[in-house]
Amino acid sequence: MRPPEKVVFGHTVEGLLSVLEGHLEGPLRERFKAVGLDLDAKLAPAYTKEQWHQLLLLGAAELFPYLSPSQAHWQLGQRFVTAYFSTRLGRALQGVLKMLGPARTLERTARNMASGSNYLRVDVERLAPTDYRLKVSEGGAHPEFIGALCHFGTLTTGVKGLITVVEAREDTSSTYRMRW
């Protein structure tokens, strides 16, 4: 039996498109089409992990051509979170996260990330009451995007002084340290 194809769900790609609103004409439109995202057609239910990573690379380069790829992916992740929390569902989740607080929000990261794809795995380790290590498998060549999702998602709880760093990388897996 063959393992299931690793995919990112269509609603996740839709979130990226909302971040790129105003930039989806011209060269970016053609670049997206070249990697399998035809903006003139209805979004597919899912896109391959490889397509998703290409879309992130293209989106980061489009929005932040003057930044390094790492910085561009961090900024793209911040915008992705901001766009998500401006949706109806995102505003509802934001209210829940504020009630949960930063620690419980981080402890739910694996479940939250699972809603966007079928392959991303997150192991959360509590080192101290305000110190966490997150190990994320297959997050891509630029771990700053996932780091920004975790960082800015956690900031929505109202936590003060949050610091998030990429602690280690191995192939497409990364380890993050988050503390406040």
Side-chain angles (χ1 to χ4, degrees):
M1 190 161 120
R2 209 171 95 176
E5 184 174 30
K6 295 176 180 179
V7 297
V8 169
F9 304 123
H11 67 270
T12 303
V13 173
E14 186 175 10
L16 178 62
L17 295 178
S18 73
V19 170
L20 293 167
E21 193 173 321
H23 297 269
L24 295 171
E25 296 304 323
L28 184 60
R29 185 178 208 84
E30 291 306 313
R31 289 182 187 117
F32 273 13
K33 192 171 188 175
V35 297
L37 176 58
D38 184 352
L39 296 175
D40 294 319
K42 184 179 175 187
L43 281 179
Y47 294 86
T48 68
K49 175 180 81 165
E50 291 75 20
Q51 286 174 304
W52 172 245
H53 289 211
Q54 286 300 310
L55 294 171
L56 289 177
L57 283 169
L58 293 168
E62 176 69 23
L63 291 178
F64 308 104
Y66 48 87
L67 296 178
S68 71
S70 295
Q71 293 170 324
H73 278 79
W74 180 267
Q75 293 296 318
L76 185 64
Q78 179 181 9
R79 285 201 182 178
F80 192 92
V81 169
T82 300
Y84 178 74
F85 284 128
S86 70
T87 68
R88 190 170 156 189
L89 185 61
R91 284 190 298 275
L93 177 61
Q94 194 171 27
V96 171
L97 295 180
K98 284 181 180 180
M99 288 187 335
L100 291 175
R104 287 180 43 208
T105 294
L106 282 172
E107 289 162 3
R108 296 169 45 110
T109 301
R111 183 172 31 188
N112 294 340
M113 291 287 189
S115 69
S117 74
N118 71 346
Y119 65 87
L120 202 62
R121 300 289 172 254
V122 181
D123 293 316
V124 179
E125 178 184 7
R126 184 178 181 175
L127 303 171
T130 61
D131 189 0
Y132 284 79
R133 179 174 286 131
L134 285 69
K135 294 179 182 179
V136 180
S137 69
E138 302 188 63
H142 297 285
E144 292 77 14
F145 179 77
I146 299 289
L149 296 183
C150 295
H151 180 84
F152 293 101
T154 303
L155 275 181
T156 197
T157 67
V159 67
K160 303 291 185 220
L162 179 65
I163 298 170
T164 303
V165 295
V166 178
E167 196 174 59
R169 309 168 190 226
E170 185 177 324
D171 194 25
T172 60
S173 297
S174 299
T175 302
Y176 306 89
R177 190 76 176 265
M178 299 181 70
R179 51 190 146 185
W180 61 94

